[in-house]
């Protein structure tokens, strides 16, 4: 899990988030790439449940040992485990000025639990950014993804290669392929998304919280689209 240093000046003196921003979309849609950038610009924490689980897996904690085979199959970790982890994280003081949620919620039960948590904190209404990208592009993005073992920076051998092959531009860390980016696991993850996460689109649309983002264009253009939505809803 990456928690950005608080630095509101990154987007100008008046820029504050003041709410939860939720990134929803299929695997490979660019949620991690964009949510990290938005968190950095607004100086708020970037909360990725996927990164949290990968951290537990890497450290071999009991939670990691439970999550590892589930993630390698492309299934979802049980809601109760996810919720206790998220609840503890968003209760920390650094989330008081808003935060970015990457890959959470992923089921209706998670979305309903999050709504209760936000209500209990009298938080502003969240913004839900729904990333839309066609399936063929998702496969290319996922099979081409490389991630820094040290800082988690995300690259792509087709669209966003590092300057030196296999090494992170920022810290020279080794770039790795995620174990769930094998083609057969990608197909399972996409099926899981369609069955368990896509119903959230209608749920949030009915609540008037959903903003569709065409995320098939290049990284900088998607960032611009997200910033313009966030500027409009502030
Ligand atoms: P998680 O880590 O959340 O994975 P995911 O949702 O499958 O999403 P990805 O990280 O694969 O893709 P992304 O949309 O972030 O794309 P990225 O920016 O990296 O979850 C992993 C697993 O953990 C789950 O399968 C599940 O088991 C478990 N889990 C996590 N959260 C859970 C929850 N809430 N409940 C239950 N279980 C949970 O980009 C991908 C590639 O594309 C990169 O190479 C990037 O450089 C490139 N790229 C990005 N944007 C562009 C662009 N605009 N143009 C060209 N290339 C681009």
């Amino acid at each position: 899990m990456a928690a950005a240093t608080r630095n509101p000046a990154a987007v100008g003196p008046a820029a504050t988030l003041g709410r939860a921003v939720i990134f929803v979309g299929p695997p490979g849609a660019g949620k991690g790439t964009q949510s990290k950038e938005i968190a950095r610009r607004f100086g708020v924490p970037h909360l990725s449940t996927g990164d949290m689980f990968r951290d537990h897996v890497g450290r071999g904690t009991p939670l990691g040992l439970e999550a590892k085979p589930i993630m390698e199959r492309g299934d979802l970790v049980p809601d109760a485990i996810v919720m206790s982890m998220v609840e503890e994280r968003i209760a920390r003081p650094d989330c008081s000025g808003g935060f970015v949620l990457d890959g959470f919620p992923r089921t209706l039960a998670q979305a309903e639990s999050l709504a209760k948590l936000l209500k209990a904190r009298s938080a502003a209404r969240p913004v839900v950014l729904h990333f839309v990208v066609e399936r063929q592009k998702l496969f290319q993005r996922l099979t081409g993804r490389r991630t820094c073992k040290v800082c988690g920076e995300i690259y792509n051998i087709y669209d966003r290669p590092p300057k030196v092959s296999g090494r992170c531009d920022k810290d020279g860390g080794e770039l790795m392929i995620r174990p769930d980016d094998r083609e057969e696991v990608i197909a399972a993850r996409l099926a899981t998304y369609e069955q368990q996460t896509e119903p959230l689109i209608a749920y949030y649309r009915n609540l008037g919280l959903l903003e569709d983002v065409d995320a098939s264009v290049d990284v900088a253009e998607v960032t611009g689209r997200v910033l313009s939505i966030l500027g409009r809803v502030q």
Side-chain angles (χ1 to χ4, degrees), residues 25-35 48-51 53-54 67 70-72 74-79 82 86 102-107 110 131 137-138 140-142 144-147 154-157 159-160 178 180-181 189 192-193 215-220 222:
K31 305 181 297 297
T33 302
Q34 297 296 337
S35 59
S48 155
T49 42
D51 285 353
F53 288 128
R54 279 184 287 278
I70 298 173
M71 294 170 77
E72 285 177 355
D75 287 341
L76 294 185
V77 178
D79 289 336
V82 180
V86 171
D102 167 9
F104 171 88
R106 260 173 144 99
T107 63
Q110 290 178 19
F131 275 24
K137 245 183 196 167
L138 297 174
Q140 172 161 327
R141 287 187 183 181
L142 290 169
R145 172 164 55 191
R146 302 291 182 271
T147 309
I154 304 166
Y155 296 89
N156 192 284
I157 56 169
D159 281 305
R160 213 183 191 200
R178 266 173 46 176
D180 57 350
D181 279 346
R189 286 162 63 203
T192 301
Y193 176 80
S216 63
V217 290
D218 72 38
V219 170
V222 178

Side-chain angles (χ1 to χ4, degrees), residues 74 125 199 217 228:
R125 279 158 65 86
V217 290
S228 120

Side-chain angles (χ1 to χ4, degrees), residues 7-56:
N7 178 22
V11 274
T16 53
L17 202 56
R19 66 186 70 231
V21 177
I22 299 170
F23 285 76
V24 177
K31 305 181 297 297
T33 302
Q34 297 296 337
S35 59
K36 281 181 186 168
E37 178 63 13
I38 294 304
R40 187 188 69 76
R41 287 185 185 233
F42 284 90
V44 297
H46 164 250
L47 311 182
S48 155
T49 42
D51 285 353
M52 292 181 200
F53 288 128
R54 279 184 287 278
D55 176 54
H56 277 280

